[in-house]
Structures are given as C-alpha cells and as structure tokens.
Amino acid sequence: MLRQYSSISVLLCVASLSACSDNSTTTMTDLAQKAANSASQPVQTADPAPARTAGYSAERNAYFGDLHVHTMYSFDAFIFGTTSSPDDAYEFAKGGSITHPAGFNMSLQTPLDFYGVTDHAFYLGVLREMADPDSELSKHPVAAGMDSLGGAAERGVKFREVLGFLRGPDGDELNDPEVGMSAWSEIVAAANRHNDPGTFTTFIGYEYTATASDGGNLHRNVIFRGDTAPNLPFSRLDSSNPEHLWDWMDGLRDQGMDSLAIPHNSNGSNGNMFMLIDNSGRPLDDAYASQRMRNEPLVEITQVKGTSDTHPALSPNDEWADFEIMPFMVASTLASQPDGSYVRQAFLNGLRMQAEDGVNPYKFGVIGSSDTHNATYAGEEFDYWSKVGLRDSDGILRGSVPMLEPNSAGDIYVDTYFDTWSAAGLAGVWAEENTRKSIYDGFRRKETFGTSGTRMKVRFFGGYDLPAAEDPDMLAKSYSGGVSMGGDLIGEASRAPSFIAWVAKAPDSAPLDRVQIIKGWVEDGETHEEVYDVACSGGPLDPVTHRCPDNGARVNPSDCSLTNGSGAPELRASWRDPNFDPDQHAFYYVRGLENPTCRWSTWDAIRAGVEPNPNLQPTIQERIWSSPIWVTPQL
Amino acid sequence: MASDDLFRQPLIWFVLIGLFLFIADSRIGDDRHEIVITDALRDRLATLWTTQTGLVATEAEVDSLVDNWVKEEVLYREALRLGLDEDDSIVRRRLVQKLGFIAESEPIPAPEIGELEAFYQQHIDDYTLPVRYSLQHLYFQAIGSAQQALTQIEQGVSSRNFGEPSMLNPSFAYRSALELNATFGADFAGQIADFPIGSWQGPVQSGFGFHLVFLNAIHPEQITPLDAIGQQVNEDYRRARQLEARDLYIENLLQQYIISVELQ
C-alpha cells in the first residue's frame, strides 16, 4: 500500500513538473527514470480508492498546522526543562492542555488540523538518559549537574556547554544508537497513534541539525509521507553536508519511502542556506538543482526565531521588509549576514540561474511553523510562551518587562536575544481532505502558504484563461483554466497572464489592510523586485505608486484595543502585471497584511503593569505569504 | 594432682572450648559477602561495550570490564551499608520510577467476553461523535443587508438572490461545534444551536461579518458501534487496566503503613 502510494506520488510529481517547466528536462528525465524503476516493482494492482472523509472538497480546503515541534527527546528541549512527550504534543494540538515547565497551562483556542513532532535526530533522547543517574551516559563529564538543573541562567549556560561539546570533535562520545532508536520508535508510534483521517493528521518527522563551518545554520525538518520510517534518522553525526541527507532520502524513496526536507531559519544561516555554490565549492549544476528540488520543495518562511521573507538590506524599496528580523546566527549573538539567508533573494537568484543556465535550485514553496521546544505551538501574540522552556518563560527573561532591579551595568532590561523572537509560524496547505495523503500531496504541489501566526487564508491563481475574481464558480474555473500557488506558467508572447489574489482574515483576529503581489524578475542578467498593492481596504489604489491609502486602523498600545478603520474581512483582486515582458523569467507571490495589532512584548508589558520596552516594536502587522507562481518565457 | 583437679573443673573446660572456638573462627570462618561472576554478567558487560564502542570485546577486555564492575559493586554495597542512599532525591526518584515500571509492566490478561463491552459502555462518551450540523449560509458584511435579505426571503424571494462573495464554503455538512467555531470564529455554533430546521434564520455574527443560516439538519450525538472500533477500545482497555494495576499496587502498599500527621 505504502509503496504503491509513493510511486503514485513520484508520478504525480513528474506530471506536475512536466506540465510546467520547459527547461528542467534533465530533472524530468531523472524523475521519469525513477518513476519507471519504482513502477517496475511488484506492487501494482490498484486498491480501491479509500473512502472520502466528511470534509472532502474537490476545490480544496485550507488546513493549518505546525511541522516543527520539539519534545523532551530533543537534547536542548530537555535542558530547557521540557518533559512533554510526543503524545502530549499531539494531545495539545488536538485541543488538550499541557503544563509548561514553569507551571502554567498551555492550550489552543482553536485546535490545529495537522502537527508533526520533529525532534533533533542528533543525540535523540540522549540528554534525558544523561540525567538518569543509573545510565552509563550520566557518567560522562558533560552530564554533570544534568539531573538537577535550576533556573534560566543555569540552563542557558548548560545549553551552551552541551551544544559546544556535541558540535565538537568528541561529541561522538555521547552518541548512543540504542537510546536514539528507542526514542525514535516512540516518536513514530505516537505519530501513528494520533493520526485520525478526516479530523487530525500527524506526520512522522525529525530535525536534521547540521551547521556550516562558520556556525551558519543548515537545519532542515524531514517529514515522511507514510506510516513507516527507517530505524534511525540520518543526522549530522552521519554527515553535516545536506547533500548527503538528500542522497539518503533518494535511497529511501527508491525503496518506496517518500520524504521531504524543509529548511528553516535561513535568516540565521549567515548566507549558507541559499548559496550559489555547492558544499564542495562548485557552481550549482542541473544535478544539484534537481536533487535539491526533489527533496526540498518547501522552506519555512517564518517561525519563532524570526521571519526569513526578506531583509531591509536586501529589499530597500519594500516598506514592509523590516518585519520580525532576527539578526543573529542560531543559538548565538554573532551577526548572520543577510546575503544568501533570505527566501525572496533565493527565488531571485534561482530565477537568474534559470535564465542563464536553465537550472533553478530555489523553486520552492513556503510554509510557517513554530520551532517550539515546549511541545506547544507558539503563535498567539496575546498568549505567548515563546519556545525554550524555563529560559524564556516570562516577560523579564524575554526582555519585554524590566528586571526587578537594574543590573550592575545599569541595564533595565535583561540582555537577551529572545526579544528578537516572534509569536509566529503557521503552516497552511490547500488539500481535498484532512488526511496524510491529501495534505502531503499539497506539500509536494507546493500549494502552501505561511502565516505569522493568525489563521488568514490565501488563494492565488495565475493563467491565461482565468474567470473574473467575483465569478461565483471562480475556484473550479481557476483550477481548470490556470495554476494555483506553487505552479508554473509558460509566458505567451502576445499578452500578460492574469492573476487572482484573494485573502481572507483570520476568524479571531484583526481585519485586513491590503493584499500585495511581490514580483521578482531577471532583466539583462540582473535581478529585480517590486511590491504591488493589488487590493486595498482603505480606498482606491494609486495607479502610479501602486500603493493603498491608509485605512485608518490604529492600535492603542496602553490596552491593545483596536480601531479597525475600513479594514476588510476579505480582499480579492484580478491583476495583470503592468510591466509584463514575455522574454523575462519572473515569479509572483502574494503577501496579505492584517491591520496592526499589539506585539507579544506589548501584551507582556500590559499584563505586568509596566510600559512596553521602548526598544521593541509595540505593534506588528500579521501577514500571510503564498508560495510563488513562476512564469517562464516561451522558447 | 592439682593439675588433674584443675582439668576436672567444668568452668575451665568452658573457657578452653570457648577459646578454641574463638581462635578457630578467626582463622577459618568468614563473614565476608559473596560476589558471583556469572556468564550472564560477562555477556551483559560485553554487550554494553559493543553498544558503546561498536567493537566486539576481547576476552581480556571482558576480564577488565568484570574487574571494574567488581570494584564498582564493592563501592556500591559499601555505600548502601553506610546508608548513602537515604535522603538522596536522585536515588529515591530512580527507585520509585523502577518500581513504577514493574507495577505497570504486569501483563494485562485479554479481556473476558463481555468485559470489553462493559468497558466500552462505561466510556461511551469517548466513542460518541458530538452533535453535528449541516447548513447553508449567506454572508453579509453589514448587519443591515443581512436583515433586509431575510425580510425579502421571508416574503418569498429566492435566497439565491442574496449574499456577498466570501472564501467560506456556501454549505457545510456534518460539522461539529468545534469545527464551525474554528471556521467562523468563536461561538458561531452556540448562536445557531437552537435554530429550527429548514428555514432561513439570523443574522448571526461571525469573525467576518453577518450570516443568514439555513439548517439542513442537526445530527444528534452518534455512538460508534464497538465492532467498528474494536481495536481502539482494546488498546484503551489495556491502558486503563495498566493504570489501575499501578494504582492498586500503590493502594496495597499504603495499607502496610500508618500515615501519621504531626503538624505544628
């Protein structure tokens, strides 16, 4: 059954690629060869299609989830005081309540549709074992004090000590495959136990936690399609080169076990996540691009450790670029260089490589996720518990509330990078029904979006045969006459394609301010980008500046009350690119902006009865990003 | 003759025999404890070595592992003798945890006929689908438009003439209150729960604006038959019995203690 599904998925993948891309011929050939290989495997009789679940819709539903969740099995989460298991994590996502290590309860107002526990593969379960005085691992010098960790500062010191050791030359001393296998089998079993087709989907997954030689972050989450997984995940102890991870995933896929890897915190990669050369310093070629895209169709565009859409230094003309920027390398206070670290620039560089060499290694879709280390999704501004257990469990530790008294240097606020973190990270996907198969296929199609935490939805279609945006049968006609987000169009020489961008507010959050289309293109070998407002809540769009007027929305930062102005529940527009050039490679993606609301740090301050930290943004505009649609010139 | 007399004295015999036993005991006897090295122990140490190093231990290495183990065992027993395990929270927690594992790992016998059925009946709430709703709705940004539309629909104008476009599906089938609230915003379901079936009602407020709602049906709670979810009930039964066994174990132990309270 599993094997059969995954050969179908490879075939689908081939079909969708061949439908769209005119110059990834080698990609197609490779995949077709693979599909042919797996098709020759014995399991071929078609099982009857499984019954559809109650919520099935041919025009697809938006499902919300989190694919980046750590539990007590992660080495760092354990040091942070997290004792919640994968079972606890899934119960929480379904609407249950679990206790934070600091003692308060955490629960969601609205349950999530899907959830994937992704513990660090390296040293999986080992730290828990080190804290067990009966274990061999507890005798290691690094284990000293592990079973009696105290407050935030002590845990912070221990985290850096352990991380330093694990990344160092002797880290292998603490590797215990028996411990890892036992934890991994528990993670797999918990995912399968909580998967409930039609109601709640789980994914077997883990985090591959590799680091570049300069400390830049190369982390990925690996998400499996089926209900089985190898005995042990591939970790940085096997190799710190992500290309080797893809080799491993390719090998599993050939055995009928499909998975995808989702890079995250490219913002903290110091330019390593989206390089223009491979791990051995060679320019990116077709083999690299096709392998990367086969294994990494999605990227996390936002999470608690900041947003990776773009950076003000990379997009100086985008007035909304300075959003939840986390300027450091992961788990450090060293600056991370923006160049090579942000999604939009990767799309642009991919486009240029495509124009020059016919190779695009950066043609991925986007999702958000939280990266919680408390087992609990952390995307609500007004109910924020951040993500590293006892290290950032209250406003003082997070830098949003003054310390009880200034320190010896006279600082009022604690010196921390937690104040650069966000209440953020939802993954959205369009899928026929809430089942593993349907949602995973949505990931593969890249028909995905990410939000900064609220449950906005976005529809995005492109094509030459789209209906009017207000057409009552718009969805069916758009699916048949165009492509959805994540898809490809071949540009026609005589006319520009049209787009439909449609955003709905979150049921329980603020109204919408505006909807934008972000265009990237290559002209004379140079990359360019432009932000077009396409639908406004505040009045008519200025056709020259492509900007919406102010809609009058305001926030009162003393109590977070809102003035909605003319904010809208939904905004949609048909749009044609006024500067379309059929000879240029281009991509388009939607960004939808909510009216401003209080940032988590302001809520912290109000609850503590103090003024918000003047060094932090008091409000934010929650937002949604769609995956792009790529337009390729006709040959 | 005096010496003969002396040896006839019982007290002297008593002292001599006692002396002999004392010397003999101190020379031959042994109050030392025994540590037994078995094949099982050697195998266990060798396996642990292989797990940790990835290498197969040679005989010499196993000998050395055994030597180390013996030294550790001696220290361990001495520590116990000195009472070092007392008032140590780590030791205490670990021992409690171990006993907990043992109590919980008691094999649970397969349920007798009728037992599973009884368990299922006792926990019927867990196997019951909640009340669900099937409905159509018309969306309006302003409450006034919704009210006007309702008036006209009640006067016989077709509902198809009304409603503003929205990303929400126009109809929903078999949705629980939780699912409706997730889609429309908090407490949408509460507002429609008492609506009559088969007519347009409202306006109802949501996170997006206002809605006229036509309830096609309210599906009452529905019990899933045991046949359909036998395996799940079986697993729940096992888990419940395990927890019961652990509680019972603690309860029995408690019976052996008198808990006295001495508060000041």
Side-chain angles (χ1 to χ4, degrees):
Chain A
M1 194 68 176
L2 178 77
R3 180 162 300 173
Q4 189 209 343
Y5 273 158
S6 70
S7 42
I8 287 173
S9 115
V10 174
L11 285 166
L12 280 175
C13 181
V14 171
S16 68
L17 271 173
S18 57
C20 38
S21 174
D22 62 333
N23 44 12
S24 26
T25 12
T26 319
T27 312
M28 282 157 47
T29 317
D30 282 357
L31 278 168
Q33 188 58 46
K34 266 181 204 305
N37 289 345
S38 54
S40 68
Q41 283 169 1
V43 191
Q44 275 301 302
T45 45
D47 285 335
R52 288 170 176 179
T53 57
Y56 184 95
S57 163
E59 286 157 8
R60 299 185 180 136
N61 303 304
Y63 293 109
F64 292 99
D66 189 344
L67 292 178
H68 196 166
V69 175
H70 294 273
T71 73
M72 65 185 186
Y73 289 125
S74 286
F75 75 97
D76 46 359
F78 187 83
I79 300 174
F80 305 151
T82 294
T83 55
S84 294
S85 66
D87 274 318
D88 296 331
Y90 288 122
E91 288 296 346
F92 165 85
K94 289 193 281 190
S97 168
I98 59 182
T99 308
H100 189 279
F104 55 86
N105 280 332
M106 304 177 282
S107 64
L108 291 172
Q109 216 170 32
T110 308
L112 291 167
D113 301 312
F114 62 92
Y115 215 52
V117 166
T118 52
D119 280 308
H120 293 289
F122 90 135
Y123 305 105
L124 188 67
V126 161
L127 272 278
R128 244 178 118 241
E129 208 63 25
M130 285 164 77
D132 178 345
D134 214 25
S135 76
E136 288 300 311
L137 287 166
S138 71
K139 300 182 177 70
H140 193 279
V142 172
M146 196 73 76
D147 50 11
S148 53
L149 288 175
E154 200 181 321
R155 286 170 191 274
V157 169
K158 193 73 192 173
F159 168 64
R160 277 186 284 279
E161 180 196 335
V162 170
L163 185 62
F165 182 83
L166 295 183
R167 283 176 175 177
D170 301 325
D172 210 32
E173 288 173 12
L174 286 172
N175 186 26
D176 188 335
E178 290 292 322
V179 171
M181 264 188 271
S182 140
W184 178 236
S185 65
E186 187 39 50
I187 289 164
V188 170
N192 288 333
R193 205 158 36 233
H194 292 272
N195 191 49
D196 186 2
T199 306
F200 181 70
T201 293
T202 63
F203 288 99
I204 298 170
Y206 76 92
E207 179 173 333
Y208 167 76
T209 316
T211 312
S213 53
D214 61 4
N217 161 68
L218 295 172
H219 302 183
R220 275 100 170 137
N221 286 315
V222 179
I223 303 292
F224 289 90
R225 179 174 196 266
D227 58 2
T228 54
N231 285 341
L232 258 185
F234 185 92
S235 83
R236 67 174 282 153
L237 296 174
D238 299 300
S239 167
S240 229
N241 177 358
E243 293 159 34
H244 295 157
L245 170 70
W246 305 333
D247 291 340
W248 179 76
M249 292 167 67
D250 280 344
L252 291 176
R253 194 171 296 111
D254 288 343
Q255 299 165 37
M257 203 182 277
D258 191 30
S259 61
L260 49 85
I262 306 173
H264 69 84
N265 281 121
S266 56
N267 58 348
S269 75
N270 200 31
N272 284 284
M273 192 62 86
F274 304 122
M275 291 179 85
L276 304 180
I277 49 173
D278 70 10
N279 200 63
S280 47
R282 286 187 299 259
L284 303 185
D285 60 9
D286 187 64
Y288 179 96
S290 57
Q291 187 182 33
R292 183 156 179 158
M293 286 301 90
R294 184 162 65 241
N295 289 296
E296 302 197 337
L298 300 177
V299 164
E300 241 181 54
I301 196 171
T302 186
Q303 66 138 272
V304 171
K305 285 198 300 296
T307 288
S308 300
D309 174 16
T310 191
H311 188 281
L314 299 172
S315 302
N317 297 323
D318 180 348
E319 305 93 301
W320 292 267
D322 188 9
F323 178 73
E324 296 295 299
I325 296 294
M326 195 285 293
F328 307 116
M329 290 204 260
V330 168
S332 88
T333 48
L334 301 172
S336 170
Q337 81 173 38
D339 184 20
S341 301
Y342 285 82
V343 162
R344 190 183 302 172
Q345 189 200 31
F347 288 151
L348 286 167
N349 284 335
L351 216 56
R352 196 184 55 213
M353 283 185 257
Q354 176 113 40
E356 287 171 2
D357 310 317
V359 164
N360 187 349
Y362 297 127
K363 202 172 181 181
F364 50 81
V366 297
I367 61 162
S369 274
S370 77
D371 197 1
T372 175
H373 283 55
N374 300 331
T376 52
Y377 167 73
E380 299 282 20
E381 304 294 332
F382 57 86
D383 193 13
Y384 179 62
W385 42 70
S386 198
K387 77 170 182 85
V388 291
L390 292 170
R391 291 185 65 208
D392 61 355
S393 53
D394 64 39
I396 294 177
L397 293 169
R398 296 194 283 261
S400 56
V401 172
M403 292 182 280
L404 299 177
E405 50 192 64
N407 65 15
S408 53
D411 299 324
I412 298 169
Y413 292 95
V414 75
D415 178 20
T416 181
Y417 49 72
F418 299 139
D419 59 6
T420 67
W421 290 8
S422 319
L426 260 190
V429 60
W430 291 102
E432 288 81 2
E433 54 184 341
N434 189 351
T435 62
R436 249 188 212 166
K437 177 187 183 309
S438 188
I439 289 180
Y440 189 92
D441 290 349
F443 296 157
R444 275 274 170 219
R445 282 195 307 276
K446 301 182 273 197
E447 198 175 357
T448 57
F449 55 91
T451 89
S452 56
T454 66
R455 295 183 199 202
M456 283 178 271
K457 296 176 184 173
V458 59
R459 293 278 198 179
F460 185 40
F461 295 99
Y464 284 93
D465 194 16
L466 291 185
E470 302 294 332
D471 189 309
D473 211 13
M474 188 274 275
L475 288 176
K477 288 178 182 170
S478 295
Y479 271 119
S480 61
V483 298
S484 181
M485 58 187 77
D488 292 70
L489 285 175
I490 306 297
E492 288 185 8
S494 55
R495 57 188 181 137
S498 63
F499 293 92
I500 294 175
W502 183 13
V503 177
K505 77 184 274 285
D508 295 319
S509 190
L512 300 176
D513 170 20
R514 70 190 70 201
V515 174
Q516 307 174 312
I517 288 181
I518 293 163
K519 178 194 180 189
W521 73 98
V522 181
E523 192 173 334
D524 304 328
E526 299 278 324
T527 59
H528 302 272
E529 60 178 88
E530 177 136 22
V531 177
Y532 294 94
D533 289 356
V534 299
C536 310
S537 69
L541 178 67
D542 183 323
V544 178
T545 61
H546 306 294
R547 283 293 169 268
C548 293
D550 181 353
N551 74 355
R554 297 292 179 268
V555 183
N556 177 352
S558 66
D559 63 0
C560 291
S561 60
L562 304 178
T563 305
N564 285 339
S566 54
E570 289 193 359
L571 290 171
R572 67 169 124 178
S574 284
W575 183 76
R576 256 178 236 280
D577 176 359
N579 301 309
F580 181 75
D581 181 336
D583 295 329
Q584 289 169 359
H585 289 261
F587 65 79
Y588 301 85
Y589 66 95
V590 175
R591 185 170 64 187
L593 300 169
E594 263 186 21
N595 280 351
T597 49
C598 276
R599 191 174 184 261
W600 63 264
S601 42
T602 307
W603 282 109
D604 274 0
I606 287 174
R607 270 191 288 264
V610 298
E611 290 294 311
N613 183 340
N615 303 316
L616 305 178
Q617 292 284 343
T619 65
I620 62 167
Q621 277 192 283
E622 302 272 12
R623 59 197 63 197
I624 188 168
W625 301 266
S626 78
S627 292
I629 291 173
W630 288 266
V631 181
T632 305
Q634 220 164 19
L635 285 180
Chain B
M1 280 305 143
S3 63
D4 284 356
D5 289 344
L6 204 61
F7 280 103
R8 284 190 198 102
Q9 292 292 327
L11 180 65
I12 294 299
W13 277 108
F14 184 79
V15 170
L16 282 177
I17 291 168
L19 194 65
F20 170 77
L21 285 176
F22 177 77
I23 293 166
D25 179 64
S26 64
R27 297 260 169 115
I28 307 162
D30 195 347
D31 63 350
R32 296 190 301 172
H33 301 290
E34 195 179 14
I35 291 177
V36 184
I37 314 294
T38 60
D39 286 337
L41 175 69
R42 289 180 66 89
D43 288 350
R44 189 159 67 81
L45 293 174
T47 310
L48 193 62
W49 175 261
T50 306
T51 313
Q52 286 171 338
T53 63
L55 302 170
V56 175
T58 62
E59 278 301 304
E61 280 167 336
V62 177
D63 287 345
S64 145
L65 289 171
V66 168
D67 284 350
N68 280 333
W69 182 87
V70 167
K71 283 175 199 160
E72 206 178 72
E73 181 69 9
V74 171
L75 289 171
Y76 169 67
R77 293 193 189 189
E78 181 63 7
L80 284 184
R81 197 185 68 77
L82 296 172
L84 298 185
D85 53 328
E86 287 160 28
D87 293 328
D88 183 320
S89 63
I90 296 170
V91 175
R92 185 185 151 106
R93 176 156 40 98
R94 181 62 186 158
L95 290 177
V96 168
Q97 199 185 38
K98 267 187 157 170
L99 202 58
F101 286 144
I102 294 169
E104 273 181 47
S105 63
E106 284 291 305
I108 303 291
E112 306 265 334
I113 299 165
E115 227 175 331
L116 197 66
E117 169 75 26
F119 177 85
Y120 166 77
Q121 291 297 349
Q122 267 170 25
H123 299 89
I124 200 74
D125 284 357
D126 295 346
Y127 309 116
T128 304
L129 289 169
V131 174
R132 288 166 301 160
Y133 303 86
S134 291
L135 60 87
Q136 307 163 55
H137 74 105
L138 298 169
Y139 166 70
F140 303 88
Q141 277 202 44
I143 190 167
S145 326
Q147 283 160 337
Q148 282 170 19
L150 184 62
T151 309
Q152 294 200 50
I153 290 170
E154 282 171 348
Q155 287 166 359
V157 184
S158 167
S159 62
R160 284 178 202 185
N161 297 315
F162 304 102
E164 296 162 20
S166 119
M167 202 184 280
L168 296 160
N169 292 346
S171 64
F172 293 88
Y174 289 92
R175 298 302 167 93
S176 68
L178 200 64
E179 288 167 326
L180 287 178
N181 290 343
T183 306
F184 287 90
D187 204 37
F188 185 84
Q191 298 177 70
I192 66 164
D194 295 329
F195 281 176
I197 309 291
S199 65
W200 286 99
Q201 301 287 324
V204 175
Q205 188 164 11
S206 77
F208 304 96
F210 299 87
H211 306 256
L212 299 181
V213 175
F214 185 99
L215 275 182
N216 298 332
I218 297 183
H219 313 279
E221 287 185 345
Q222 190 188 331
I223 296 168
T224 314
L226 179 55
D227 293 349
I229 45 164
Q231 200 186 340
Q232 189 198 335
V233 178
N234 228 315
E235 261 175 43
D236 294 349
Y237 172 89
R238 282 179 53 80
R239 218 175 280 179
R241 286 280 115 58
Q242 257 171 8
L243 293 178
E244 267 171 36
R246 194 192 59 183
D247 290 348
L248 184 69
Y249 184 75
I250 295 173
E251 191 55 38
N252 286 338
L253 287 175
L254 274 172
Q255 298 294 328
Q256 299 169 28
Y257 290 83
I258 297 165
I259 316 290
S260 42
V261 180
E262 290 178 9
L263 300 176
Q264 301 205 332

